[in-house]
Amino acid sequence: RPSLAFDLGGTKTLVALVDGDRIVEANERTTDRHLDPDDWCDAIAELAAPWQSRYGAIGGAVTGVVHAGRWSALNPGTLPVSANYPLADALERRLGRPVVLHNDAQAAAWGEYRFGAGAGRDLLFVTVSTGIGGGAVIGGRLLTGRGGVAGSVGLTQETAGVPLETLASGRFLADAAAALGHAVDAPAVFAAAARGEAWASAVLDRSADVAARLLQNLQLLFDPAIMVVGGGVGLADGYRARLEARLAHLPPHLKPEIRAAALGKSAGVIGAADLARRTL
Ligand code: ADP
Ligand code: BMX
């Protein structure tokens, strides 16, 4: 039987019936940042309701840190999750059976390793999305760490007190555009750059400068066979080209091999479904 999986991110909530690497059916809704975890759990249950009893295992990929069934934000700016929210219990009550939970970028890393760009090779996954997330599969194992934090690259700092994701993510693009007088979202910044508007290219360049340095640092730390880039910004037209341009000068043994997430926006739910199937 297919698995039920969901991907709750700072911008979108995706719920799907997943069979291996295939999305059988999917429902999506904007994550309403002004609501709270109870509401977000209600939204997941509502989106999953049409598939009652058609699924076995349930897997979840969520922005933030999950450990021992509890959910917390690292950066409330990405999604204001209350500390230690009992997510596993809240979802089990609504869905009627246990849920296997992971951070969204960790789940996506596993999905790309098993069914996507990884094809069984060790990899790092970096999502440039509402925030910046990361996941690592090393020696065929998904790193989750002491408390589920492993891979949280968006909170690393180049400058004291400034999380990297505030200088490169989708929210950065919108904030930087607003600071220049353009009240637009990230897709509109890409569209303006494509139309040749210099301010928009400059904003994308600032993001790519930071993201490229992150990938360079990650290559030094883990030296993965490939570096998979996902997320709404990471997969947007021209973004990876900007990263490649910034890394082209590196010698081969230090240069990341960048790949687009082959599973696209489904990497999280496909990874979460496979992780759940393996656990139950
Ligand atoms: P989430 O962060 O919820 O996982 P996404 O991966 O879709 O969701 O990332 C959301 C961020 O990416 C938002 O800042 C959004 O504006 C931006 N985004 C989404 N789609 C695109 C696109 N096609 N082009 C550029 N930016 C995008
Ligand atoms: C943040 C953090 C990570 C997450 C990353 C991408 C929170 C709520 N989230 O760094 O756990 O993986 O954003 O999240 O602290 P997304 O919503 O952009 O997918």
Side-chain angles (χ1 to χ4, degrees):
R1 279 195 304 172
S3 302
L4 177 70
F6 60 86
D7 184 344
L8 173 49
T11 294
K12 69 164 186 355
T13 297
L14 175 65
V15 182
L17 269 183
V18 180
D19 184 6
D21 65 345
R22 198 167 60 85
I23 302 289
V24 177
E25 285 180 51
N27 275 321
E28 181 175 329
R29 184 182 294 183
T30 300
T31 304
D32 186 338
R33 316 166 47 74
H34 307 295
L35 299 180
D36 66 24
D38 287 335
D39 301 313
W40 300 326
C41 290
D42 290 343
I44 288 167
E46 284 160 33
L47 290 169
W51 307 317
Q52 198 76 38
S53 79
R54 284 178 57 188
Y55 52 82
I58 305 177
V62 294
T63 189
V65 178
V66 279
H67 182 63
R70 292 190 166 274
W71 186 31
S72 305
L74 285 179
N75 178 356
T78 300
L79 189 67
V81 183
S82 30
N84 294 316
Y85 178 82
L87 184 60
D89 292 345
L91 287 169
E92 184 165 346
R93 252 198 326 279
R94 289 167 173 80
L95 298 171
R97 74 189 71 170
V99 182
V100 175
L101 297 166
H102 287 84
N103 162 264
D104 57 354
Q106 289 172 0
W110 183 254
E112 287 294 318
Y113 170 75
R114 285 274 290 126
F115 302 108
R121 286 172 295 179
D122 281 357
L123 62 84
L124 255 64
F125 178 87
V126 175
T127 171
V128 185
S129 34
T130 309
I132 294 185
V137 180
I138 306 294
R141 294 175 53 81
L142 174 64
L143 300 190
T144 52
R146 175 186 60 184
V149 176
S152 300
V153 294
L155 276 299
T156 58
Q157 302 172 26
E158 286 183 331
T159 305
V162 182
L164 217 62
E165 68 188 359
T166 64
L167 302 173
S169 67
R171 293 192 77 223
F172 160 77
L173 296 179
D175 292 348
L180 294 169
H182 305 276
V184 295
D185 63 7
V189 174
F190 278 87
R195 288 196 303 272
E197 296 187 35
W199 70 268
S201 292
V203 166
L204 291 181
D205 285 342
R206 286 169 58 193
S207 168
D209 287 344
V210 170
R213 280 199 297 271
L214 171 63
L215 299 186
Q216 200 172 334
N217 289 338
L218 289 174
Q219 194 69 40
L220 289 164
L221 285 172
F222 294 95
D223 199 21
I226 54 170
M227 196 85 75
V228 181
V229 174
V233 174
L235 292 171
D237 285 352
Y239 194 76
R240 285 184 315 289
R242 287 177 191 267
L243 297 177
E244 292 284 5
R246 286 159 175 76
L247 299 166
H249 71 286
L250 291 172
H253 66 294
L254 298 181
K255 183 174 169 300
E257 276 296 308
I258 293 174
R259 296 281 185 282
L263 304 175
K265 67 192 285 191
S266 303
V269 285
I270 289 172
D274 191 65
L275 288 162
R277 211 178 40 75
R278 288 162 172 265
T279 304
L280 298 187

